[in-house]
Amino acid sequence: MALLVSLAVAFRRGPTTVTAFSIATLGTRATVAASRAASSSVSATPRAFVTYQFRKASPPASSITALHASTLAVSDLEKALDVTHPAFDVVERDVVTEYGAYCTVYRHKKSGAELLSVSVDDDNKVFGITFRTPPDDSTGVPHILEHSVLCGSRKYTTKDPFVFLLQSSLQTFLNAFTYPDRTCYVVASQNTKDFYNLINVYADAVYHPRAIEDPMVHAQEGWHLELEDKNDPLTYKGVVYNEMKGVYSSPDSLLMRESQRTLFPDNTYGVDSGGDPTVIPNLSFEQFADFHAKFYHPGNSRIYFYGDDDVYKRLELMDEYLSEFDASPESKPASEINWQRKSYDEPHRTTYPYPAGADQPETHMVQTNWLLNDEPMSDTDELALNFLDHLLMGTTSSILRKTLTESGLGDAITGGGLSDELLQATFSVGLKGVQPANVEKVETLIIETLEKAAEEGFTEDAIDATMNTIEFQLREFNTGSFPKGLSFMLGSMSKWIYDNGPTDALKFEKPLAELKAKIAESGSEIFQDMIKDLLLKNTHRSTVEMTPSKTLESEQLKEEQDRLAAIKAGLSEEELEEIIAKTVELKKLQAADDTPEDKATIPRLELEDLDRKVTEYPIAISKNENDSGVTVIRHELTSTSGIAYVNFGIDLSSIPLENVPLLSIFGRLTKEAGAGDYDDVALSRAIGTHTGGINVALLTSPVTPAGADESAVSDGTKMVTKLVIKGKATSDKTDKLFDLYRLILTDAKLDSQKKVIEMLRESRSRLEAGIQGSGHQFANTRMNARYSVAGYLNEKMGGITYLNTVKQLLKQAEEDWPSLLARLEKIRSTILDEKLCRDGMFVDITGDKKVLETIQSSVEDFLSELPGDSDGDKLPDFYREDHPWIAQAKKEMKEMAPIMDEGFVVPTQVSYVGKGGKLYEEGEKVPGSAAVVSRFLRTGYLWDNVRVIGGAYGGFCTFSPSSGYFSYLSYRDPNLAKTLDVYDQAADALMAAADELEKDPDALATAIIGAVGDLDSALSPDQKGWTAFERYLVNESPEFRQQYRDEILNTTPDDFRAFAERLRNMKDPSVAVISSKGGFDDAAKKGKVMTLTEVV
């Protein structure tokens, strides 16, 4: 089902390889509360075991009302269907009634381009252009082109308009991504002027990029040979080249790529559109330019608009670009995706190595994969397939996932089940952390489990839970901070890109009704038949075994060095001089500033276009409601579609610090192990049947001390710590939601040794994979632990230290289970202390007026039935007194987190380089201008020098005003020592930039606008409520938020100088780097010596 695909993408589900463009856009949207409390964290259970509470669940369809109370009259939206333009033919008019979307498909008369115009009552407007771009090799040409087209164009002549937009717009989404068969360019903004600025830059970029005429762009973004001295060895450099070296260092990524390759031997899906690092250097500039000429004609594009802006203006704007092109009848046929036929007479097996660390256990990864269809499926069958996927894999109690997890044959699930974003659907599942002797047993167990499901079918309650979960997901259409319009686009594109109608892909009422009718008639028979036909009888199956190699990393490095040495040996003196000259030329180009004339070509906002007032969200606080001893917080919104979003929290401060690392496992057990009369399966089904999902998370957050200056750095000793149960339900089911909250809080089954061992093994595997694939995050957490108590606690609960703790807990669970069980039970008895627990409880509810009125009696019942004495003892005032964990944490910090330069060795072809320290001391005031300056540094100097010149996939910085902590970070970086040198020169660069800004008020305004954009994200209803709650929790006042915004708006060049001076004088800076042994050896030769630790 296409819309389920788009929602899955919003939550990053599914094994399909999608290569994102810009690491710089990650994490740029945050509330002031989040930025002020950057050390705070809400740590949920790992995604693989979250039940997709946000895959949804709900009672009957009627319980979820219309999407929202429209501020636009229906008649106004209907008028959008009547809009015509002389340059376009109307192909189809349609209304997606499920979402109040009024859609018109147009075809541009001259160029043949198709355009889908969606009019909805949503001010977060979205524009996208998608091209069908099937590669025939693994040179990564679609991916490199995706990077390159945004590096200047005919109208917008700066070196990198994309970065200028990052710096200067109010965008709520700005990115591009490469699928195996298509490339998407997407922008979104709530500001109409800004929205059309973004569209103009993107449209000119894709149709008229500088890259196809300037080989230097291909060299920078793709690959090039680099040489600065004849006596030096040749090296490969390039952003995509290094990005993909990072990808190919990840065992999980290698497994998915090999699995896809084995299922698609005959069509484009069998090659890597992202690029194989060993093949990327085969791509010539001529091939690169030809690929654009072949696939980037408007006739091969699908253009998309979504939002509340004027339809005629959409058409008028696009006609300006499309009218230059004549029709190209060959464009679409040339990009058509061929079907991969089910051609295997018997299942295939293949073995492939993955890089393993010196101390890493020699375990294998095993995954079985199926190509499900080689002809189109009906909408009803596609929806049924999604239901089957949920029944098999969607929750921890789903039969295939549960059986594999509990088998003891491996540490964690791989594959994720169904992937249906492409022309053909696949199904993949397996295990990692498998002993060699158990490899064949994994495949056997998968088949036997499917045979059992095909024979016995699924129980009525399992089907009801799945029905409710998916129907809730479809009706709520909650994409979080991901623009709804983008999910809508991806849903339509999953059909439209293959020459089917775009709007049918967005409708679910008819296929859902048909599926319900089939289930009513024959129960689970439809799913049993699917298992037999699509899986058990399907011989187009592959099993991929990944074997550990402790020498693979060194072998790959030697292979690259030998290849480059051979190339150099075959070059003449003149050719070597030419490479040196091109290296110099490229670096000179990269380091050069854009001219004022080039900068002037980029459309921009003015400071006058900004809203100077902070957006506030409703909040009403009722302390000791109904004499319950519990604080109830309510957020009344205009409409939440009949859904109540409810968060229930209980205090954790009485837990001794030595048990804090157990809280994550404790939280998972409360929801995944069963409770009361429910075993784990029954509990999961009850959640799925009656709610929109339940999740259990840890919340730890420093707070502003009572009476303190909110702009000053705090000492971090005042903090709140909560276990939070988060969930949602339609208002007529809220009583069930509260019943489940109470049950898992008080009566969860903590005594399953097997379940705890499974969770700890999965956690170990997830952390190891995270350190290899997202090393910058772990480096940052490690550094922050040296400077603040809150940072140390985050490291203890989720960093490299936590990995070591998980290994110790696993040993205890296996060898001394009674002791570990006693610790878990002690956690529960402590947080439910009869005399104390009520004082630390809160209920946070987001809903519209009708929802809040409807559920009030359920709230009252819940409060009256909670454990604890409503008039019991009081907790300390954590806004005035030190948190109980603080004293012990400070003692541990001295031993466990001394300020030192550390390197963590993992098998990888890239590095993640961090350097950080304190810019502000306790009590010093941090002005809002710091947000402008740190952002300017991230999107300017660091982007240019770490990414563009250095070739890393990402280079950025973080700054926490609440703690004064600042860090530099790089992502998938080919350098280590050079990157540290770049960091050390940042203060001088920032000081020079301040002088330039003095002369260029427009550039200063640009920096300010981008920082304001970071404050004003588009939020879903539940996010609005949670944002208001977080602001309340950290003790942040509306007056401070306005002051902070005003300080941002009033930033001056002197603020840049003051920040630069602090960078120069950073107190006790230190380094944390994730890299290979070879990377550290090379850095040591250049004077960058660190204390090394083998991690993976």
Side-chain angles (χ1 to χ4, degrees), residues 977 1082-1089:
D1082 181 65
K1085 294 174 185 176
K1086 298 172 182 176
K1088 313 296 184 184
V1089 179

Side-chain angles (χ1 to χ4, degrees), residues 55-68 97-99 467-478 484 508-509 512 639-645 690-693 728-733 848 850-851:
R55 274 178 120 178
K56 315 313 181 195
S58 156
S62 59
S63 297
I64 299 183
T65 60
L67 272 175
H68 50 280
T97 56
E98 289 89 338
Y99 301 112
M467 175 65 71
N468 187 64
T469 295
I470 292 179
E471 187 170 358
F472 196 111
Q473 180 182 20
L474 289 168
R475 296 191 185 286
E476 185 197 19
F477 198 47
N478 187 339
K484 281 189 176 182
F508 62 81
E509 291 289 10
L512 183 61
S639 174
T640 58
S641 305
I643 299 169
Y645 299 93
H690 298 297
T691 80
K728 54 190 170 183
T730 52
S731 56
D732 59 337
K733 287 282 190 174
D848 53 44
K850 183 177 179 181
V851 166

Side-chain angles (χ1 to χ4, degrees), residues 648-656 659 663 666-667 670 696-698 721-725 744-748 750 823-841 866-869 875 885:
F648 172 68
I650 187 165
D651 191 77
L652 297 171
S653 63
S654 297
I655 302 296
N659 281 340
L663 288 172
F666 175 82
T670 61
V696 182
L698 306 179
T721 52
K722 305 286 184 180
L723 183 76
V724 183
I725 306 174
I744 65 177
L745 175 67
T746 62
D747 208 10
L750 307 178
R823 294 172 67 186
L824 291 166
E825 291 175 337
K826 181 64 175 175
I827 289 174
R828 179 162 61 190
S829 65
T830 299
I831 65 175
L832 295 179
D833 179 86
E834 183 72 18
K835 289 291 186 181
L836 199 59
C837 67
R838 286 282 185 113
D839 189 52
M841 291 180 179
L866 283 169
D869 185 349
L875 288 163
W885 297 352

Side-chain angles (χ1 to χ4, degrees), residues 443-689:
E443 183 179 10
T444 299
L445 182 60
I446 292 170
I447 301 301
E448 289 177 348
T449 305
L450 291 171
E451 289 173 342
K452 179 180 179 182
E455 180 64 28
E456 299 177 3
F458 301 94
T459 61
E460 184 177 350
D461 63 335
I463 296 173
D464 287 347
T466 292
M467 175 65 71
N468 187 64
T469 295
I470 292 179
E471 187 170 358
F472 196 111
Q473 180 182 20
L474 289 168
R475 296 191 185 286
E476 185 197 19
F477 198 47
N478 187 339
T479 61
S481 56
F482 201 75
K484 281 189 176 182
L486 178 49
S487 285
F488 215 69
M489 182 191 107
L490 297 178
S492 68
M493 208 60 65
S494 64
K495 295 293 184 182
W496 193 16
I497 200 72
Y498 305 119
D499 299 323
N500 297 307
T503 55
D504 287 346
L506 303 169
K507 299 177 179 181
F508 62 81
E509 291 289 10
K510 182 180 178 182
L512 183 61
E514 291 177 355
L515 180 58
K516 286 182 176 180
K518 288 185 178 182
I519 292 171
E521 179 182 340
S522 59
S524 75
E525 186 176 320
I526 182 175
F527 305 118
Q528 291 168 264
D529 289 344
M530 276 190 154
I531 293 174
K532 294 171 187 175
D533 295 339
L534 299 181
L535 298 171
L536 295 175
K537 295 178 183 178
N538 181 2
T539 56
H540 197 101
R541 182 176 99 213
S542 71
T543 295
V544 177
E545 177 185 357
M546 304 290 291
T547 60
S549 171
K550 297 183 185 299
T551 61
L552 182 61
E553 179 193 332
S554 59
E555 290 169 2
Q556 290 173 331
L557 179 60
K558 186 176 186 304
E559 182 181 342
E560 179 181 303
Q561 290 172 340
D562 289 347
R563 179 180 183 182
L564 288 163
I567 292 172
K568 186 178 181 184
L571 296 173
S572 65
E573 287 293 311
E574 291 76 13
E575 289 169 326
L576 286 172
E577 290 292 349
E578 183 180 357
I579 292 174
I580 292 172
K582 286 186 176 179
T583 299
V584 172
E585 181 186 357
L586 179 58
K587 291 193 173 184
K588 183 178 179 181
L589 175 68
Q590 292 168 330
D593 289 332
D594 290 309
T595 66
E597 293 77 16
D598 288 332
K599 291 178 182 179
T601 65
I602 307 294
R604 67 182 76 197
L605 295 174
E606 306 294 336
L607 289 175
E608 292 73 22
D609 296 317
L610 305 183
D611 188 346
R612 302 191 73 89
K613 291 187 177 181
V614 171
T615 300
E616 297 290 343
Y617 302 109
I619 185 167
I621 301 157
S622 174
K623 295 187 176 181
N624 190 26
E625 180 154 329
N626 294 347
D627 295 322
S628 64
V630 178
T631 298
V632 180
I633 303 103
R634 292 178 175 85
H635 315 281
E636 183 181 316
L637 302 182
T638 303
S639 174
T640 58
S641 305
I643 299 169
Y645 299 93
V646 183
N647 307 306
F648 172 68
I650 187 165
D651 191 77
L652 297 171
S653 63
S654 297
I655 302 296
L657 189 61
E658 59 265 25
N659 281 340
V660 166
L662 266 175
L663 288 172
S664 179
I665 296 299
F666 175 82
R668 291 185 61 185
L669 284 169
T670 61
K671 194 174 74 71
E672 296 180 27
D677 294 332
Y678 291 119
D679 63 13
D680 58 341
V681 174
L683 178 60
S684 176
R685 290 177 182 170
I687 291 171
T689 300

Side-chain angles (χ1 to χ4, degrees), residues 919-934:
L919 291 191
Y920 289 80
E921 294 301 313
E922 295 168 14
E924 288 190 297
K925 293 185 178 182
V926 180
S929 60
V932 180
V933 184
S934 60

Side-chain angles (χ1 to χ4, degrees), residues 234-278:
L234 276 176
T235 58
Y236 287 127
K237 286 291 181 69
V239 173
V240 169
Y241 178 76
N242 290 309
E243 176 192 347
M244 298 311 296
K245 286 185 80 171
V247 171
Y248 274 68
S249 296
S250 163
D252 290 339
S253 294
L254 290 172
L255 174 62
M256 294 313 303
R257 278 166 165 73
E258 187 66 10
S259 295
Q260 183 163 308
R261 186 190 66 78
T262 59
L263 288 180
F264 295 97
D266 304 319
N267 79 350
T268 190
Y269 300 149
V271 299
D272 191 344
S273 64
D276 181 334
T278 64

